[in-house]
Amino acid sequence: MDMSFVSLRPEGDESKKQILYFDMDNVLVDFKSGIARLDEKTKGKFEGDLDEVPGIFALMDPLTDAIEAFEFLSQLFDTYILSTAPWENATAWSDKLHWVKKHLGKKAYKRLILTHHKNLNKGDFLIDDRTKNGADKFEGELIAFGSAKYPDWQKTTEYMYQQWLRSKQ
């Protein structure tokens, strides 16, 4: 992703940064990459509930440009990962933590929130591909990742950069 247009670092009080949440599945994480690594027997056994496969969240790759976008936006916003883990898949909870540690590292240290009620979190922006689990009731602006307006990380990052610039005026 060409991020050359955004090489500025924010100035001033860190506590005044706007809060930005990132969903994981199909936003930061390429869910299909985990499915592709499953054998046919497992796919058949969990058909219709592939998110219930033990260990599936540990098999997933980052979505194209997601890591770069997270790293850049973390310079401008107070960023958190706000995700939901399937209730019946106990490994999903720890797998998501391990994924964040592996792919996002120190920028995401103690910034993972797993919830089935995203609307209970206070913030300015939520980048999510769905409206489930309270995303549709989030008090800030819901950025519909994967939509016509925000189809990929390039467009989404450009929009968020413009939002950051507006907040500085």
Side-chain angles (χ1 to χ4, degrees):
M1 173 175 11
D2 178 19
M3 299 303 294
S4 59
F5 72 99
V6 286
S7 59
L8 300 175
R9 285 194 169 268
E11 298 175 13
D13 184 0
E14 295 288 315
S15 67
K16 296 190 184 227
K17 285 183 177 181
Q18 292 180 302
I19 296 173
L20 168 61
Y21 295 103
F22 293 79
D23 178 44
M24 285 185 74
D25 305 335
N26 298 315
V27 175
L28 292 173
V29 178
D30 181 357
F31 193 85
K32 291 178 185 175
S33 68
I35 295 171
R37 291 185 172 104
L38 297 176
D39 60 56
E40 293 306 316
K41 181 179 177 185
T42 303
K43 286 180 188 177
K45 180 179 176 183
F46 289 91
E47 188 174 354
D49 291 312
L50 292 172
D51 62 346
E52 299 290 343
V53 174
I56 190 167
F57 290 94
L59 302 175
M60 298 177 189
D61 296 324
L63 204 58
T64 302
D65 296 327
I67 303 305
E68 297 83 0
F70 180 86
E71 289 175 355
F72 172 71
L73 293 172
S74 292
Q75 296 175 59
L76 307 178
F77 296 90
D78 186 10
T79 54
Y80 297 87
I81 298 95
L82 185 61
S83 188
T84 301
W87 191 254
E88 298 301 326
N89 184 352
T91 69
W93 299 75
S94 59
D95 288 341
K96 287 187 177 226
L97 172 62
H98 292 297
W99 191 96
V100 167
K101 286 180 173 183
K102 177 180 179 181
H103 295 285
L104 301 177
K106 291 182 181 181
K107 285 194 187 321
Y109 179 70
K110 294 190 177 183
R111 291 184 169 267
L112 173 62
I113 302 167
L114 297 176
T115 182
H116 290 93
H117 305 281
K118 293 180 180 183
N119 56 302
L120 297 179
N121 287 270
K122 304 288 183 190
D124 301 288
F125 302 98
L126 168 59
I127 301 173
D128 206 322
D129 65 315
R130 302 185 322 159
T131 57
K132 291 188 169 192
N133 300 309
D136 59 336
K137 297 179 185 106
F138 178 72
E139 72 175 25
E141 182 179 349
L142 176 61
I143 310 299
F145 189 81
S147 67
K149 189 172 181 181
Y150 310 106
D152 55 29
W153 275 112
Q154 182 70 36
K155 291 289 185 191
T156 304
T157 303
E158 289 171 5
Y159 176 76
M160 294 309 304
Y161 180 66
Q162 293 302 315
Q163 295 305 105
W164 177 76
L165 287 175
R166 280 190 196 107
S167 75
K168 299 299 167 199
Q169 295 175 349

